[in-house]
Amino acid sequence: MKRETKIEGKIWCITDEKGNLIDDIDTDMIFHNSHLHITDINEMGKYAFGNLKGWEDFSKRAKKGDILVVGKNFGAGSSRQQAVDCFIALGISAILAKSFGAIYKRNCINSGLPILEYPEDVKIGDTGDKVLVDFKTGEIKNLTKNLFIHAKPFSKVQMEIYQAGNLFNFGKK
Amino acid sequence: MGKTIIEKIFQKHTKDEVSPGKTIWIDLDVRSARDFGGPNVVKHYEREYGDTPLENPEKTFFTFDLVAPPKNIKYAVNQSICRRFAKKYNIKVYDVDAGIGSHVLMEEGIIKPGVTAVGTDSHYNIVGAIGAFGQGMGDVDITFIFKTGKNWFEVPETVKINIKGKYEYPVTAKDVTLYILKEIKTSFALGRAIEFYGSAVENMKLYERITLCSMVTEMGGIVGFIPINKEVENEIKSFTGKNDFEVINSDTDAKYEKEITIDISGIKPQIAAPPHPHNVFNVDDLKGEKVDTIYIGSCTNGRTEDIETVAKILNGKKVKEGVILSIVPATKRVYRELLEKNILSQLFETGAIILNPSCAGCAEGHVGMTGEGDISLNTSNRNFPGKQGKGKTFLVSPAVAAASAITGEITSPELFM
Ligand code: SF4
């Protein structure tokens, strides 16, 4: 199966009350440690952002194919895979961040969840905007506002793991 | 061209050419999973690889430290899942009596200078304190490594942090660490390796280096190194009595992405208020705030010397009524040292609760949790809202924690000098 290297979807900008993207969202805000015993991925979606102020009901609002837009150091904190899997469970199709926590970044790549890092000083758009993301070139196009943003494209390993589905399948090739 | 410490360690573990930004494949000398993450590793392994053997079971370990002994059935079940898997494949288990995995593996001489080590622990980079490369990873990565012994890494850039000035008790390595965090927050070193220079850090003893290197995670860094001197080399040797390692320092012409100098002269004891470890103030600024529960321990401040400092301040005094003071040595070895020095009985008389070696008050542990409106002082490394309950968690040094235990309020240790 060849996976799409271009996707289109509606964005969710994870912002505070003032409308600014929230930086340093850590894994306890994404998937709280009181749910760590859950190992069935289908169970995980409903806890996504369950401990992030203002976003507790995200799982009810997000639709399959939606794209997350987040600030700096997204996914800081613990190594828990559930903080990635909960978004896969919801069908989130990509995460666009100014930067990721180091472990979180690996966990996304290894699970085949597309992530891109975009420059700190640009704005991708507002919640509800439609964007087109090209993993190969790193180009993000905001179709609603007709904006172009250049993010860092997938690395070679990232693309190979993404195409294989996850790190395990990639390793068995 | 010269190489930085991480580049030199990587180069010894790969055939690929190492340079920042390149993705390379690294051989991992030590792989471990703990009671958190471990059961998922087992589950992934059995699903993906069935009954086939691991690459080098003798390089593979389980360490049960997060909830040890298990406080509930779910953790008991998870630990026994790992034990069964370990038995089947002949994997060594450091069980619930041993203490914090990263510390135990350093004490056992399994993680030593120059090696590459990974585990399901986001503070695994703490082993930078002895000049080893360590990285915390998720359970997918660790499962893959259990099977193959290697993984991909993007070689990070290295940044240089020069520390200017000196510090003196009651300012400790923890205060210096918090002060650095305050200065650089998470953006200077995010995704980078850090090398620390300057006489204040280069003269740090091993337990102090552990404190600083443990919080490289909170700085957003991959791993932090401090050049290793003879004294620290001897401390590392004293763990096992063996000399079977090579210390790797950077080349004089190594290339750093950027450099910063932080002047610590005259700093006072520091405290990190929620919601972030880098939300740092002088203890004096928050002085007098009432405290409900205090946890001294964790991979950041659970060594013998840390707890000795606490005993020195509390000596002959009592923990303020209504305050819970929990003290948790990092490992069994630390526990024994404290027993032998008679420190535990001293602390017992002050009214402190002394627990068995583990992570205890970190994450999902059973120590230092808070209810609505509670204030907790904690010597560990994270104060994110909700992590330890509904109350507020402040990060401090063992000295500040001890002084505050006596008064029941946030207090600078200067008061007890
Ligand atoms: S003490 Fe806390 S931060 Fe350190 S290894 Fe244990 S759980 Fe992780």
Side-chain angles (χ1 to χ4, degrees), chain A residues 24 26 28 32-33 36-37 39 51 73 77 79 81 99 102-103 106-107 110 157 161 167-168 170 172, chain B residues 23 36 40 43 48-49 74 122 136-141 144 151-152 186 190 222 364 382 384 386-387:
Chain A
D24 301 309
D26 79 272
D28 261 315
H32 192 257
N33 63 42
L36 284 183
H37 56 282
T39 53
N51 186 38
N73 198 19
S79 57
Q81 202 85 37
S99 53
I103 302 174
R106 293 191 69 93
N107 288 347
N110 289 335
V157 171
I161 295 172
L167 179 68
F168 296 127
F170 165 75
K172 288 179 201 155
Chain B
T23 304
F36 160 68
N40 286 337
K43 191 173 145 187
E48 296 292 330
Y49 306 122
K74 153 192 118 189
S122 56
M137 289 183 161
D139 42 56
V140 169
D141 261 326
F144 182 79
N151 211 335
W152 62 272
T186 55
L190 188 68
I222 300 284
E364 232 198 333
R382 284 187 182 145
F384 301 128
K387 184 170 156 81

Side-chain angles (χ1 to χ4, degrees), chain B residues 167-178 204 207-208 211 267-269 301 306 309 396-400 413:
Chain B
Y167 64 96
E168 214 181 333
Y169 183 81
V171 174
T172 65
K174 181 61 165 282
D175 303 296
V176 172
T177 304
L178 292 176
M204 279 182 174
Y207 80 99
E208 299 176 286
T211 301
I267 67 165
K268 307 272 264 169
N301 278 121
D306 291 316
T309 306
V396 293
S397 72
V400 173

Side-chain angles (χ1 to χ4, degrees), chain B residues 34 36 65-66 100-103 120-124 126 214 218 295 297-300 358-364 380-382 387-388:
Chain B
R34 52 208 298 228
F36 160 68
D65 50 12
L66 193 69
I100 301 175
S102 55
H103 283 234
T120 54
D121 163 4
S122 56
H123 288 79
Y124 222 72
I126 198 168
S214 80
E218 281 60 48
Y295 157 57
S298 87
C299 59
T300 301
S358 63
C359 296
C362 228
E364 232 198 333
S380 73
N381 42 54
R382 284 187 182 145
K387 184 170 156 81
Q388 273 114 3

